[in-house]
Amino acid sequence: DVSNNGALAGGRLLVHKALKSIMINRKSSSPLIEQKRLRQKDRTIVPSAPYLLVSKIVDVSCDLPVVSNICPADTEGGWRSSLPNGWGEFPTGKLSHSYSSYFGDDIVADVSYGDFLQSENAVDVSKLSGSDAISGTLTNYYNFAFNTSTTTLCDLTNPLALCILLALVVMVRIVKRFFLPKFSALGLRLGRSSHGPEWEVDNEERIVKFGEYVYRLCYHSAVSLYGLWYFYDKSWWNNSMGGTKNLWILHPNHPVEPGMAWYYLIQSAYNVDAMLSLM
């Protein structure tokens, strides 16, 4: 009986491995996955961005209910089979590279704070107490926000990202309330020195506008300088590293570094504040 049970268990294991191998082979044989694998291996085969954009637009259009009746079926080679001069032949054809229209299972979920706490980079607060526990918790918050890539902070539909955005909007309004009077006072002094004290009476609105424009100038200058400093060495700016073709490598799962996430969070907060100011 023991030998029979062992044989039965061994047989089940072999069947399980066989089924798993079949599923892996099916998955790896997918044209989209194979194309992605080849693009990652050799980036020089990727066409320039305009061709990729056209391919993407046609792929999405052919998935629409009405247009799908016009496009050739995938079993017949899809719409690329009707292109002349080898434009649809992978990998040399300019329109041969296909990116799935609806990403679904291809999208890797962003790292949540709960996921981060399960990683080896997190401090185990359960083993600490008192001030050490508080310090460990703050360390986890800091490392999650500023040292972890592709977190839920990248998604403004996530509640945590929305809360941080709201906090940033409040901070932007506080900074704005502090600096606007100072910039307006600067405009007042400049106006008095160049046009005399009487100029102030008829130009109060101009003085306020001057303060707003100086504030905007300072903000956009600071953000632009940070953007140039942060993004200048990224691969999509460097043609020797592939240039804009890197925008399509690993699409749609591009890693989002913390500096990039905070850059766009701060930009979003400024724009939300500007919108609120118009109401």
Side-chain angles (χ1 to χ4, degrees):
D1 292 338
V2 174
S3 60
N4 290 337
N5 291 336
L8 181 60
R12 288 177 178 175
L13 182 61
L14 290 175
V15 171
H16 176 74
K17 288 183 176 180
L19 291 175
K20 185 176 181 180
S21 176
I22 292 172
M23 294 301 295
I24 292 175
N25 290 334
R26 286 181 178 177
K27 187 175 181 180
S28 61
S29 63
S30 169
L32 293 179
I33 294 177
E34 184 62 24
Q35 284 192 20
K36 182 181 291 187
R37 183 183 296 111
L38 292 174
R39 283 192 291 265
Q40 293 173 1
K41 183 180 297 184
D42 182 11
R43 299 189 179 191
T44 61
I45 67 172
V46 182
S48 57
Y51 295 112
L52 295 172
L53 180 61
V54 172
S55 295
K56 181 70 174 178
I57 292 173
V58 179
D59 280 338
V60 173
S61 299
C62 284
D63 282 340
L64 299 176
V66 178
V67 184
S68 61
N69 297 327
I70 304 174
C71 296
D74 291 338
T75 55
E76 301 174 1
W79 61 270
R80 290 177 174 81
S81 61
S82 59
L83 296 178
N85 301 324
W87 276 55
E89 296 179 4
F90 185 85
T92 56
K94 297 295 185 181
L95 300 178
S96 64
H97 290 253
S98 179
Y99 293 83
S100 57
S101 302
Y102 305 106
F103 306 121
D105 295 336
D106 290 336
I107 297 179
V108 178
D110 297 330
V111 179
S112 66
Y113 184 66
D115 296 332
F116 171 78
L117 292 179
Q118 302 299 321
S119 69
E120 59 183 12
N121 296 324
V123 178
D124 189 356
V125 183
S126 63
K127 299 179 180 179
L128 304 175
S129 61
S131 60
D132 291 337
I134 296 175
S135 176
T137 301
L138 293 177
T139 300
N140 285 336
Y141 285 146
Y142 178 84
N143 288 332
F144 173 75
F146 299 105
N147 293 326
T148 307
S149 297
T150 320
T151 65
T152 49
L153 298 182
C154 309
D155 182 8
L156 286 180
T157 62
N158 183 272
L160 177 60
L162 285 175
C163 290
I164 291 179
L165 177 63
L166 178 61
L168 289 174
V169 171
V170 173
M171 293 176 63
V172 167
R173 295 189 72 84
I174 292 174
V175 171
K176 185 177 180 180
R177 182 171 294 184
F178 176 79
F179 280 106
L180 277 184
K182 297 184 180 299
F183 292 144
S184 296
L186 174 62
L188 176 60
R189 289 196 299 271
L190 292 175
R192 283 178 176 177
S193 62
S194 60
H195 300 288
E198 298 81 7
W199 179 85
E200 174 188 351
V201 178
D202 298 326
N203 293 277
E204 292 182 358
E205 185 177 351
R206 285 188 176 184
I207 295 171
V208 174
K209 289 292 184 183
F210 176 85
E212 293 178 352
Y213 292 148
V214 172
Y215 169 77
R216 294 176 187 176
L217 175 64
C218 292
Y219 168 79
H220 288 292
S221 298
V223 168
S224 298
L225 289 174
Y226 171 79
L228 289 172
W229 170 80
Y230 183 79
F231 291 107
Y232 85 98
D233 61 344
K234 298 297 183 280
S235 58
W236 55 81
W237 277 26
N238 192 334
N239 288 330
S240 64
M241 298 172 63
T244 54
K245 292 181 180 180
N246 289 282
L247 299 174
W248 300 85
I249 302 298
L250 297 178
H251 182 73
N253 292 311
H254 295 152
V256 182
E257 298 175 358
M260 188 185 303
W262 283 100
Y263 176 81
Y264 286 110
L265 279 171
I266 293 173
Q267 288 277 54
S268 299
Y270 175 84
N271 291 325
V272 170
D273 172 71
M275 181 181 66
L276 294 176
S277 300
L278 295 175
M279 295 181 177

